[in-house]
Amino acid sequence: MNPFRYKNGVLHADGVSLADLATEIGTPFYCYSESAISAQYRAYVDAFADQDAVVCYAMKANDNLAILRTFAELGAGADVVSGGELQRALAAGIPPSKIIFSGVGKTEDELALALSTGIMQINVESFAEMEALSRAAVAKGVTAEIAIRINPNVDAKTHDKISTGRKQDKFGIDIELAADAYRKAAELPGLDAAAVAVHIGSQLTSLDPFRAAFSRVAELVGELRAAGHDIRRVDLGGGLGIDYDGAAPPTPAAYAAVIKETVGHLGCRVLLEPGRNLVGNAGILVSRVIYTKDGDDRDFVIVDAAMNDLIRPALYDAYHGIRPVAEPAGGANLQRVDVVGPVCETGDTFTRARDLPPLSAGDLLIFDSAGAYCAVMASTYNARPHVPEILVKEGQFSIVRARQTIEDMLRAENFADWQTAVN
Ligand SMILES: *Cc1c(COP(=O)(O)O)cnc(C)c1O
């Protein structure tokens, strides 16, 4: 479902006029549709209705508290990658029994926090971490249920910076060492190796790499069981892509079919960690044109959002659809423009040579597919405050993160003790 549609010539978000919202809140701002998130979550629930599967939302995609609350109310679990994320998930009411803790560099404090909150599973990514977790569990007198994250050496055929399942990537334990890793886990006190985990990358648009990785997982589970390990769960990570540019990725149903085909016979509970696929197309960034500048070589549209608000084009050469909030007249001539932000970096370019309907100063536009890996990656570079986040649902809206103020930014800092005050 695309909740961002034109109505009476104005783009609306689930029934709320974005022009009205912009007047009330100012620009830029993120806007998320709760209905779209629920619909996508339900698509997973339906797709996996005949499998014992738990959806643990990979909250690094979008960790706004109201988004997490949406998932908690839907009954989802969470995949967290830091102590901070764990605390946010708990604050949003996601039950510890549905929380997975992933990541290559969990600190002792983070492991202790995970153990004291009693989460479902800690995904261990190295022998050193396994030892640290064993020590922490013994110190607390508890047993930690773990998965060992395996690096299956499968190329996810996605952007280099978001590939995680190749030998040269920092994630997981090489599949060749998996037998040793499980043997070691069985020897160490305080650990119960209940699961095998993989996560091969993000924004995958083909099912083939999933099929290859999950088949390796299934084979490994067979070997581990033969060696006496009690493997009850497989954690298959996330990574299913979304439509950014008109090329539709596989549906949750097609993804579920691959999972059934590859690991269905194991009798394991299946843990899923989708992030982007659940929220990516449920959000947009709304911005206003400050100036247009027609150059000799190219024409620029300068907007009030920038790379500090939405870094994906600069970081991954990512494509985001751009649409004006005022519906363009049918047959309007397109103009070839670069859309750029005000930050003093050439990288602060959202798109080059894109054919867009005519845009002038004061016009509102949106960046589509901005629900995942956008607001969470924002910074205050160039002393630009964090922008607000709005949640909409069937004609209602709520400000779920207020616009940061310059005062907020200044309050967090101080002069050094030996410096003089400014009067
Ligand atoms: C990032 C991540 C995910 C989610 O990836 P998406 O592409 O957003 O689905 C899932 N699991 C782990 C371990 C991750 O690091």
Side-chain angles (χ1 to χ4, degrees):
M1 113 180 228
N2 189 335
F4 307 104
R5 276 183 282 187
Y6 291 107
K7 194 168 107 186
N8 305 326
V10 177
L11 201 58
H12 281 62
D14 208 350
V16 178
S17 158
L18 290 169
D20 291 351
L21 263 187
T23 305
E24 185 155 342
I25 283 143
T27 52
F29 64 91
Y30 279 99
C31 178
Y32 310 124
S33 160
E34 185 174 321
S35 315
I37 294 169
S38 304
Q40 194 63 9
Y41 177 77
R42 294 220 170 80
Y44 273 80
V45 171
D46 291 349
F48 286 91
D50 63 345
Q51 300 184 58
D52 176 14
V54 183
V55 176
C56 297
Y57 167 57
M59 62 176 277
K60 75 177 189 285
N62 188 326
D63 66 9
N64 180 283
L65 212 52
I67 300 288
L68 299 180
R69 188 67 192 145
T70 300
F71 283 107
E73 289 181 347
L74 287 166
D79 172 52
V80 307
V81 294
S82 71
E85 283 197 354
L86 175 52
Q87 293 183 67
R88 292 178 84 83
L90 296 172
I94 294 177
S97 62
K98 290 184 178 174
I99 296 179
I100 302 167
F101 196 166
S102 301
V104 290
K106 304 175 206 78
T107 64
E108 257 175 53
D109 286 351
E110 289 177 318
L111 292 174
L113 175 69
L115 291 173
S116 56
T117 49
I119 63 172
M120 166 172 53
Q121 178 175 299
I122 300 175
N123 289 3
V124 170
E125 298 212 19
S126 64
F127 286 84
E129 184 189 8
M130 203 187 294
E131 284 165 12
L133 181 59
S134 168
R135 283 195 300 274
V138 168
K140 277 208 161 30
V142 297
T143 299
E145 286 198 35
I146 65 166
I148 295 176
R149 177 167 171 183
I150 299 305
N151 183 324
N153 195 26
V154 168
D155 188 342
K157 299 267 186 304
T158 181
H159 191 281
D160 187 53
K161 286 185 181 154
I162 51 176
S163 279
T164 58
R166 305 164 300 183
K167 269 200 195 305
Q168 67 268 34
D169 299 325
K170 70 179 176 182
F171 298 98
I173 291 179
D174 285 348
I175 194 155
E176 288 78 11
L177 302 176
D180 290 346
Y182 280 85
R183 197 176 312 123
K184 172 148 187 160
E187 283 164 16
L188 287 171
L191 302 182
D192 171 13
V196 174
V198 281
H199 171 70
I200 57 172
S202 198
Q203 185 52 23
L204 275 74
T205 51
S206 160
L207 292 172
D208 295 339
F210 287 123
R211 193 177 283 110
F214 301 164
S215 302
R216 283 177 204 184
V217 167
E219 204 176 315
L220 177 63
V221 170
E223 291 165 15
L224 293 173
R225 283 177 169 169
H229 301 287
D230 179 22
I231 306 296
R232 287 102 70 194
R233 299 191 288 263
V234 288
D235 176 344
L236 302 180
L240 190 59
I242 60 168
D243 178 0
Y244 283 101
D245 57 4
T251 59
Y255 177 66
V258 166
I259 289 175
K260 194 168 181 180
E261 164 200 323
T262 51
V263 302
H265 61 284
L266 297 173
C268 282
R269 169 163 290 177
V270 174
L271 306 181
L272 306 163
E273 301 170 351
R276 186 192 311 269
N277 194 265
L278 288 172
V279 294
N281 277 326
I284 55 171
L285 175 64
V286 181
S287 180
R288 201 181 280 282
V289 178
I290 308 176
Y291 302 115
T292 57
K293 178 161 79 169
D294 294 348
D296 185 30
D297 186 57
R298 53 186 65 216
D299 297 341
F300 296 96
V301 174
I302 303 161
V303 300
D304 64 1
M307 65 186 290
N308 70 297
D309 306 306
L310 198 177
I311 201 175
R312 297 189 67 259
L315 192 58
Y316 310 124
D317 304 308
Y319 179 98
H320 285 269
I322 297 175
R323 291 186 278 162
V325 168
E327 188 169 16
N333 284 334
L334 299 182
Q335 294 175 355
R336 182 156 296 184
V337 294
D338 286 15
V339 178
V340 302
V343 160
C344 299
E345 297 257 356
T346 300
D348 186 22
T349 297
F350 291 109
T351 187
R352 291 190 188 280
R354 179 94 55 101
D355 292 329
L356 293 176
L359 288 162
S360 343
D363 287 353
L364 293 166
L365 54 79
I366 69 157
F367 296 94
D368 266 312
S369 313
Y373 304 110
C374 291
V376 278
M377 289 191 177
S379 75
T380 56
Y381 187 37
N382 281 207
R384 292 170 50 87
H386 284 293
V387 306
E389 295 174 271
I390 312 296
L391 190 65
V392 296
K393 184 184 183 182
E394 294 158 11
Q396 318 161 68
F397 76 91
S398 187
I399 301 172
V400 295
R401 179 182 187 165
R403 189 181 300 281
Q404 189 181 26
T405 64
I406 299 295
E407 292 70 38
D408 293 335
M409 295 171 82
L410 293 179
R411 241 196 318 275
E413 298 167 41
N414 49 264
F415 296 138
D417 296 339
W418 56 88
Q419 293 172 332
T420 54
V422 175
N423 327 303

